[in-house]
Amino acid sequence: MAKGETEKLYDLIVIGGGGAGLSAALFGVLRGARVLLLESTEYVGGTTAFSGGTIWIPNTLHAAAVGAQDSVEQAEIFLHNALGNYASGDAIRAFLTAGPRAVEVLDRETDVKLRPHPLHPDYLSELPGATMKGRALEPIPFDGRLLGDNLDLVRPPIPEFTILGGLMVDRVDIGHLLSMKKSWASLRYSASLVARYARDRLGHKRGVRLTMGNALIGRLLHSFLKRGGTVWTQARVDQLIEEKGKIAGVSLIRNGKRENIRAAQGVILASGGFNRNPTLRKELVPDVEIHTPGAPGHKGAAIELALGVGARIGDRNMENVFWAPVSIRKRSDGSTAVFPHFVFDRAKPGTLIVNKAGRRFFNESTSYHLTGKAMIEANRTDPCIPAYLIADHQAIKTYGLGMVRPGGSGMSFLIKDGYLLKGETLVELAQRLGIDATQLQKTVETFNGHAAAGVDPDFGRGTTAYERNLGDPKNGPNPTMRPLQNGPFYAVKLYPGDIGASAGLVTDAHARVLGKSGPIGGLYAVGNDQNSIMAGTYPAPGITLGPAIAFAFIAVEDALAA
């Protein structure tokens, strides 16, 4: 060991402090292991902290709370139908077996508390084995004050996902906020929420009632730290230490000093995937304008280290990343806000999406992954990047549009800075967008006729249970369609956004990283560092975090049994 170097010993080393890494670290300390969690940035949380925090794990103890009936066999049928020839039977069965056990351990032994939503369909709800509820779990809001000074370790949410300068809200909160003028109960709930936030800001620089992905990270971190786990942030791992044919530790730079850390039982890679790695992007992502809304740490460094010791990246994926349509704007500090359009606007009545020619080109009520995929595929023959999400005045007031809140909050500011484009007529809007005005008028006229009848013969909008759930149940006969009628009309530009990695390190069903001749001893990969069992499909909500937690559980069990 060179002068100035130090060496420490742990049972497990986890590289990456997002949802996958924190889960692995927590499962390790629950088994009595000495665990070191290494994060390259100043925060833990990764992209999970930016996300809705939804976890897709079928057949858990929580399913009964919403009256869901499920089984491993039913979920297996669904995944094999969704993935087709891309399905890996052993890995799918391992996920479906370990997932419910992992959730039960979290519920019984930690502060990670989850709940199912009463209605949260699988995205491919038309397939055999699909369910309308029970598989998608979300974290219960968490009081960040329980973390004390360690609250500063949690990556703050995307500012555009908060209100009042930092108040985090989840779907329950949003429901009450939108109903507070109609319901005394919602008014009281909303007033209490805002009052709590005001009190919290008197003593904290951010909101401390954590929701969605922030709540999941807060709960994982709190559970890990109070059981003696160790977290090092701003620790850059640049070498995997090999001894006697296995990975025995890591070498890293922290506080300007090199440290060699030994791992008696294993090293688990959970650094967030390759999405911000320029070299791997050139190999794995289409060469079109794509914006990444994920956290800054997923640069593929851990994947490159694994490739250096004989690992390989999966090459049997339908897509190498998971997609969502995003809109972008420059913030006042010069940074770029990348806003994912998940559920609140694309499939709402009074909206549609067109390409540069002013034509619709896909079913706007499909999932966000399939929306991004449709943009890229259609762009091969006609300019569809950017596409244009258009809403009439009633729609934007009722549902919002991208960064515009329901009710129209922020419209004037966003029009002024160019994020939101406005036209008193469709012709004026087309001129502002630089698209064919005559064709846009024809498209809207045709769409309006279909919307009045509630049937979309061109693309089948609103035909599945999942798609109808994205619409407005008060709108009929099709909850996703209403004629675009009264101006002004508004639009935002949409681009494909890669929200996670599907391509990652090839592993076996035990999450062991595979080399040319079998598992690389002592090395595991989970989360976006692991080639996804979904193989570039996106059949349900939370299909990144669900397998991440399940395979974190599997990896720890295997490592500590070795």
Side-chain angles (χ1 to χ4, degrees):
M1 188 163 54
K3 184 178 180 181
E5 293 182 352
T6 61
E7 187 171 77
K8 296 182 175 65
L9 175 65
Y10 291 86
D11 295 314
L12 291 174
I13 296 173
V14 180
I15 300 176
L22 272 168
S23 296
L26 176 55
F27 289 131
V29 294
L30 289 175
R31 288 286 306 274
R34 298 163 297 172
V35 181
L36 173 63
L37 179 71
L38 300 173
E39 168 58 42
S40 64
T41 70
E42 62 184 307
Y43 298 113
V44 300
T47 298
T48 301
F50 285 168
S51 75
T54 300
I55 299 161
W56 192 80
I57 297 181
N59 199 36
T60 70
L61 58 90
H62 296 295
V66 290
Q69 295 183 342
D70 204 0
S71 67
V72 169
E73 291 73 24
Q74 183 179 348
E76 199 165 20
I77 289 170
F78 173 67
L79 287 177
H80 278 276
N81 274 282
L83 274 67
N85 293 333
Y86 293 92
S88 171
D90 290 345
I92 287 173
R93 177 58 68 125
F95 160 60
L96 294 175
T97 302
R101 293 172 55 206
V103 170
E104 184 177 1
V105 168
L106 293 175
D107 186 76
R108 186 179 66 242
E109 301 183 30
T110 79
D111 296 286
V112 179
K113 305 302 178 186
L114 306 170
R115 66 188 179 195
H117 197 263
L119 183 63
H120 208 157
D122 293 333
Y123 291 168
L124 302 179
S125 59
E126 69 277 16
L127 294 182
T131 65
M132 293 296 292
K133 57 188 176 181
R135 292 175 176 171
L137 308 176
E138 59 188 15
I140 294 173
F142 178 64
D143 187 350
R145 293 174 296 188
L146 295 174
L147 283 165
D149 292 342
N150 289 315
L151 176 61
D152 292 338
L153 288 176
V154 178
R155 182 173 295 282
I158 297 173
E160 290 75 19
F161 275 10
T162 67
I163 62 174
L164 302 177
L167 171 58
M168 287 171 277
V169 292
D170 62 16
R171 69 176 67 215
V172 174
D173 304 329
I174 292 169
H176 282 293
L177 289 165
L178 293 177
S179 300
M180 64 181 180
K181 293 182 180 180
K182 306 171 187 176
S183 161
W184 281 108
S186 290
L187 178 60
R188 287 193 296 270
Y189 183 99
S190 302
S192 174
L193 196 67
V194 173
R196 156 79 191 267
Y197 173 63
R199 290 195 303 271
D200 290 342
R201 288 303 299 268
L202 293 175
H204 299 84
K205 58 186 178 183
R206 58 170 293 185
V208 299
R209 178 182 176 269
L210 310 186
T211 67
M212 300 196 298
N214 246 237
L216 180 60
I217 293 301
R219 288 183 175 278
L220 287 167
L221 179 62
H222 180 58
S223 300
F224 177 62
L225 291 175
K226 80 177 191 179
R227 287 166 178 79
T230 302
V231 176
W232 290 357
T233 57
Q234 296 180 302
R236 183 173 60 85
V237 178
D238 58 6
Q239 182 182 346
L240 296 174
I241 297 173
E242 295 182 82
E243 282 186 0
K244 300 178 180 178
K246 65 173 289 186
I247 302 302
V250 303
S251 186
L252 59 87
I253 302 294
R254 176 173 172 255
N255 296 328
K257 297 180 180 179
R258 178 165 296 281
E259 299 188 58
N260 295 323
I261 316 296
R262 315 291 289 186
Q265 308 287 148
V267 174
I268 300 176
L269 306 181
S271 67
F274 73 88
N275 295 66
R276 293 190 185 274
N277 183 295
T279 302
L280 292 174
R281 286 189 71 85
K282 285 184 179 180
E283 299 175 11
L284 299 171
V285 181
D287 186 19
V288 295
E289 184 174 359
I290 296 168
H291 295 270
T292 303
H298 52 276
K299 298 179 179 179
I303 291 177
E304 289 183 325
L305 292 178
L307 295 176
V309 297
R312 54 195 171 89
I313 290 179
D315 58 3
R316 288 193 67 255
N317 297 305
M318 189 177 297
E319 299 285 327
N320 288 324
V321 297
F322 298 116
W323 300 111
V326 300
S327 53
I328 60 173
R329 67 174 287 270
K330 283 291 184 183
R331 299 188 181 109
S332 58
D333 63 1
S335 62
T336 299
V338 182
F339 186 91
H341 291 247
F342 288 135
V343 299
F344 288 113
D345 52 20
R346 288 182 296 106
K348 292 297 189 288
T351 69
L352 54 75
I353 296 175
V354 300
N355 61 14
K356 187 73 172 177
R359 294 185 173 92
R360 293 177 68 216
F361 59 96
F362 79 110
N363 172 2
E364 298 95 336
S365 65
T366 194
S367 73
Y368 42 86
H369 173 70
L370 292 179
T371 295
K373 184 178 178 180
M375 293 173 68
I376 291 171
E377 290 179 349
N379 193 67
R380 296 190 179 109
T381 55
D382 296 293
C384 295
I385 302 174
Y388 306 94
L389 172 56
I390 296 174
D392 66 11
H393 188 69
Q394 180 183 340
I396 197 170
K397 283 290 188 177
T398 305
Y399 312 111
L401 192 69
M403 298 183 198
V404 180
R405 304 279 191 259
S409 175
M411 283 176 59
S412 58
F413 174 77
L414 294 171
I415 290 171
K416 184 177 180 181
D417 79 357
Y419 169 81
L420 180 68
L421 295 106
K422 175 184 177 182
E424 294 297 329
T425 64
L426 287 172
V427 171
E428 183 179 343
L429 181 65
Q431 291 170 344
R432 294 191 182 279
L433 295 173
I435 66 179
D436 188 313
T438 301
Q439 181 57 55
L440 178 60
Q441 287 179 298
K442 290 180 180 178
T443 297
V444 172
E445 182 180 354
T446 300
F447 178 83
N448 285 353
H450 297 329
V455 178
D456 178 16
D458 295 327
F459 300 102
R461 177 166 164 169
T463 54
T464 71
Y466 163 73
E467 292 171 6
R468 291 191 293 273
N469 186 58
L470 283 186
D472 184 343
K474 298 187 295 294
N475 182 82
N478 186 326
T480 74
M481 297 175 70
R482 174 181 60 72
L484 281 73
Q485 296 170 324
N486 299 319
F489 298 93
Y490 303 87
V492 294
K493 297 178 182 180
L494 294 182
Y495 300 85
D498 54 317
I499 59 173
S502 176
L505 298 170
V506 177
T507 65
D508 63 13
H510 300 283
R512 298 179 297 187
V513 175
L514 297 180
K516 292 182 179 179
S517 57
I520 299 172
L523 189 63
Y524 299 82
V526 298
N528 285 345
D529 283 357
Q530 177 187 38
N531 200 75
S532 172
I533 63 167
M534 302 300 170
T537 66
Y538 212 110
I543 54 84
T544 53
L545 275 175
I549 291 173
F551 280 102
F553 181 81
I554 290 169
V556 169
E557 292 285 301
D558 190 83
L560 296 184

